[in-house]
Amino acid sequence: MPEISELPGLLSAPGMSAAAQILLILVSFATSAVSAAFGLGGGMMLIAIMAQAMPIPALVPVHGVVQMGSNAGRALVLLKHVNWPAALWFMLGAAAGAVFGGAVAISLPAAAVRLGLGLFILWMVWGRTPRFDRAPKRAMAGAGLVATGLSMIFGATGPIGGAVLSAIGLARQAFVATQAVTALVMHVFKIVVFGLLGFVFAPWLGLILAMIASGFIGTLAGTRVLARMPEPMFRTGFRLVMTLLAGSLLLRGFADLFIA
């Protein structure tokens, strides 16, 4: 009987032990459940843990494929709740972000991006935000442009679209469903760009498929929590998750400044 680390294709990601890969498969379940219950947050939690366990050059591309699968599952489960006008305008912005945003983001200092994103999230969640319900098309297109461009560098920028969606005022299931579709689109564009740039996904396919499968199970679990969650509890949980993510970004941004 072969050892776990010798199983062909499944747990043979280059530069990683079988134990590390099993850990990421379990983490994918947990973070997908978080995203299904609160609309977002799981992607940033996942990439933070992946960064501790896998080679950095593969981090953002592999994370993008796993998140594409996770968001596709969540979108499928909640398909009837999707706000398609908001999602379609996000797609238009995401297409532009994939073409132009990545080049712009590359020139930005990491500390500036993280600090700016953290402050933006806190403002959108706790501050007096603009009334995007009066201009949702421009807001969603702008979110798609910025989120997709920055996602090519930092991997998980779902809070940008999530912050705009929350300001539009969608109900909890519509919010989670639409956030899943917008994140799915963003990751599809990102994966296409990485493929064109020459990243080879094949050696990571086994781990990716296992993480997507466990993530889908996590999505089903988190969706059950979402359906039973009272609206006030959802809003409180959403704000808590967003605030924690913003705090993490600010800490990392300040750390980047001191390291530099």
Side-chain angles (χ1 to χ4, degrees):
M1 183 175 180
E3 297 292 332
I4 289 179
S5 59
E6 295 173 355
L7 292 178
L10 179 58
L11 296 177
S12 58
M16 294 186 64
S17 67
Q21 293 173 74
I22 291 172
L23 171 64
L24 292 186
I25 293 169
L26 296 175
V27 168
S28 180
F29 167 86
T31 55
S32 292
V34 168
S35 288
F38 295 107
L40 72 168
M44 294 193 73
M45 295 176 188
L46 179 61
I47 199 169
I49 297 172
M50 289 175 67
Q52 311 301 318
M54 67 185 301
I56 295 300
L59 176 62
V60 175
V62 171
H63 176 268
V65 181
V66 173
Q67 286 299 104
M68 181 186 69
S70 176
N71 285 289
R74 191 158 68 254
L76 181 63
V77 171
L78 295 168
L79 190 61
K80 65 181 180 180
H81 298 288
V82 175
N83 183 307
W84 288 108
L88 290 172
W89 278 99
F90 185 96
M91 292 179 194
L92 292 176
V99 176
F100 303 109
V104 174
I106 289 174
S107 65
L108 295 175
V113 173
R114 290 188 175 117
L115 290 171
L117 181 56
L119 292 172
F120 171 78
I121 293 171
L122 290 177
W123 173 54
M124 293 297 296
V125 172
W126 295 105
R128 296 187 62 181
T129 58
R131 295 293 300 275
F132 286 127
D133 55 325
R134 297 177 181 175
K137 297 177 180 179
R138 291 193 295 271
M140 289 309 300
L145 172 69
V146 175
T148 305
L150 294 181
S151 180
M152 294 181 181
I153 308 303
F154 299 108
T157 54
I160 295 177
V164 175
L165 283 174
S166 69
I168 291 176
L170 300 179
R172 65 184 188 279
Q173 288 180 313
F175 171 86
V176 174
T178 308
Q179 170 68 11
V181 171
T182 57
L184 170 62
V185 169
M186 180 174 64
H187 289 299
V188 167
F189 282 124
K190 182 170 64 176
I191 290 165
V192 169
V193 171
F194 276 122
L196 293 175
L197 292 174
F199 183 81
V200 180
F201 290 94
W204 300 91
L205 187 58
L207 176 62
I208 287 171
L209 292 176
M211 292 180 68
I212 289 175
S214 68
F216 183 70
I217 298 172
T219 292
L220 294 178
T223 301
R224 289 190 175 187
V225 174
L226 174 66
R228 298 175 181 176
M229 189 184 304
E231 191 77 27
M233 183 182 295
F234 170 79
R235 291 299 171 188
T236 300
F238 169 76
R239 284 189 168 191
L240 176 61
V241 171
M242 294 288 282
T243 302
L244 291 174
L245 292 175
S248 175
L249 285 167
L250 292 174
L251 288 175
R252 292 181 65 189
F254 284 120
D256 289 338
L257 286 177
F258 287 115
I259 291 173

